[in-house]
Amino acid sequence: MGPGRLSWSLLRRCRRAVAVALALGAPRCGPPPARPLSAAAALRAPLRPPGTGGRAPWDGPAGAGGDEGEEEEEDEDEAALEELLGPSPLAPGPGAQRIAVVHPAVKWGPHKSPLTNAELQIAEAVALVDTLQNWTVLDKIIIPTKNPNKKFIFGKGNFQVLTEKIKKLPHLTAVFLNLERISSLTKKELEDAWGVQVFDRYTVVLHIFRCNAQTKEAKLQVALAEIPLLRSNLKNEVSQRDQQRGGSRYIMGSGETFLETQNRVLKERELKIRNALEKLRRKRALLRTQRRKCEFPMVSVMGYTNCGKTTLIKALTGEAGLQPRDQLFATLDITAHAGYLPSHMAVIYVDTIGFLTDLPHNLVESFSATLEEVAYSDLIVHVRDITHPETILQKATVLSVLRNLNLPSHLLDSIVEVHNKVDLIERYKPTEENALAVSALHGHGLEELKQEIEKKILTATGKKILTVNINLEGPQLRNYENRQVNFTLT
């Protein structure tokens, strides 16, 4: 690319940036204002130096694009992004998986949760497996342990009993160990003992995210969450190489060991992913600024996975295009949906990713770019599946994640708690103060919820609802009754 073409490409980009900045200068809350034809034509017309007959002298033969340099740069960015979004080295593969779900049941001590039990925990693990297509649970096994953090997780006797059970299962392809994370060393030892792959919760949840990710942002966040696993697997691979091959660990006189080279490659990959996510974050910030200019209040709808968030948003907005799915982590991307409150005030409901008990910290951190949208909300609605036997634990999990997001205190103090699916419990009444009983599926309690949301929004935004009585008098309007009009003022 010659210097002339480069400078002209930069000039085009600067002009385009100025045009975009001018276009975004005024909020567009309704249809955009009509732009004079000459101005619109000027923005669309190709830029050419004067006196060249409409063609730049450095363009070469007629028909060659003056923005070729810019297109090449965009193509390179797109190619780099496609490389980051390529097939994952950690994906279990497209084939069917026949799984044994094993839950280490802690009987006492600091690792035991007081809000649940082994049967409920393994039921959630089975639900995770059932979410994945072509994955089948062959057996579910609960084995007691004192300390799930030791090398083999179980005591010698229990480990032997478990190994015998696993080896008797026909056509078994993998074991799902229902722990947040297991070390690469423990994983290798267990796979050698059982002769099949071993997955932990991090691996299974990450694979669910991988299968459900639709947008580039979601796919990039999954790729970022894979980095810690790739590093852990790398250490295990290096130790195996040292044991099998011995000798020098340096690569062809490069001065770098295999571990250093691979760590550098992973670091570069992580940097590229973070840079790509930062670009998408800036785009989302621009959209958020536009919404702010239009002064639409934002309501983030949050909760445990599969608690009915999307169903509730569909009921509040009447948006027919929303299709809730009865599965874990069906929503991975932030989606915005417009609705109206009783005073006809327009609000935006934001659908967010669901939470899970023992969701690894690295996984939550990878999706921080998505969850940061919550910090800019005017109100949080916390949806609970009140029929679930672990509803109290689920509430504690969601509130713990929200606190870790460093949200403003006024957001945490004004949360509206919704008890969903009350149609499945006869004569249900919330025992918790200020909680609202709702059936998103059948529409029960929606008006009370809208009124509560409106009250909190008015407090958070400083908006006021004024009622103006208009006396419709005169010969032309005598057939009309007096009308009452509500205005929402900032």
Side-chain angles (χ1 to χ4, degrees), residues 11-246:
L11 178 59
R12 284 178 55 83
R13 293 170 69 181
C14 289
R15 287 223 189 146
R16 185 176 298 175
V18 171
V20 171
L22 290 173
L24 296 179
R28 292 184 179 178
C29 303
R35 180 186 291 163
L37 179 60
S38 56
L43 284 176
R44 290 196 299 268
L47 297 171
R48 290 287 183 262
T52 60
R55 188 170 58 87
W58 50 78
D59 279 355
D67 58 350
E68 182 181 328
E70 184 179 347
E71 290 178 359
E72 287 178 1
E73 184 178 342
E74 290 177 356
D75 289 344
E76 288 175 3
D77 289 345
E78 193 67 26
L81 191 58
E82 289 300 323
E83 182 183 350
L84 293 174
L85 299 179
S88 168
L90 297 175
Q97 293 282 358
R98 297 168 64 84
I99 308 288
V101 180
V102 177
H103 177 70
V106 181
K107 295 297 183 182
W108 59 83
H111 299 288
K112 179 175 174 58
S113 172
L115 299 176
T116 187
N117 57 54
E119 287 73 21
L120 294 174
Q121 288 175 302
I122 201 169
E124 183 174 82
V126 170
L128 287 171
V129 174
D130 289 341
T131 299
L132 292 164
Q133 191 174 7
N134 296 327
W135 284 43
T136 307
V137 176
L138 290 184
D139 197 6
K140 47 186 183 179
I141 306 168
I142 298 175
I143 298 288
T145 182
K146 294 180 181 178
N147 181 11
N149 293 329
K150 59 186 180 182
K151 183 178 179 181
F152 282 102
I153 301 171
F154 306 98
K156 187 175 181 181
N158 284 337
F159 183 75
Q160 187 174 352
V161 170
L162 176 60
T163 301
E164 291 173 359
K165 285 186 177 182
I166 287 173
K167 291 192 171 181
K168 287 180 182 177
L169 293 173
H171 310 297
L172 184 73
T173 61
V175 172
F176 172 21
L177 201 56
N178 192 29
L179 290 173
E180 179 182 327
R181 282 287 297 273
I182 57 176
S183 68
S184 56
L185 178 60
T186 298
K187 184 177 187 299
K188 180 182 180 301
E189 295 284 355
L190 294 177
E191 288 178 344
D192 289 344
W194 296 336
V196 294
Q197 286 182 292
V198 176
F199 304 138
D200 53 20
R201 281 175 77 91
Y202 194 106
T203 309
V204 173
V205 172
L206 188 59
H207 189 52
I208 294 173
F209 282 13
R210 192 182 296 117
C211 294
N212 288 352
Q214 300 296 324
T215 64
K216 287 181 180 179
E217 184 170 26
K219 292 175 181 178
L220 282 169
Q221 289 176 123
V222 170
L224 183 62
E226 289 178 344
I227 298 291
L229 278 182
L230 290 170
R231 285 202 177 102
S232 178
N233 292 350
L234 176 61
K235 292 178 182 178
N236 187 35
E237 183 181 350
V238 169
S239 65
Q240 283 182 305
R241 280 170 172 260
D242 289 346
Q243 291 173 3
Q244 294 171 5
R245 301 172 66 180

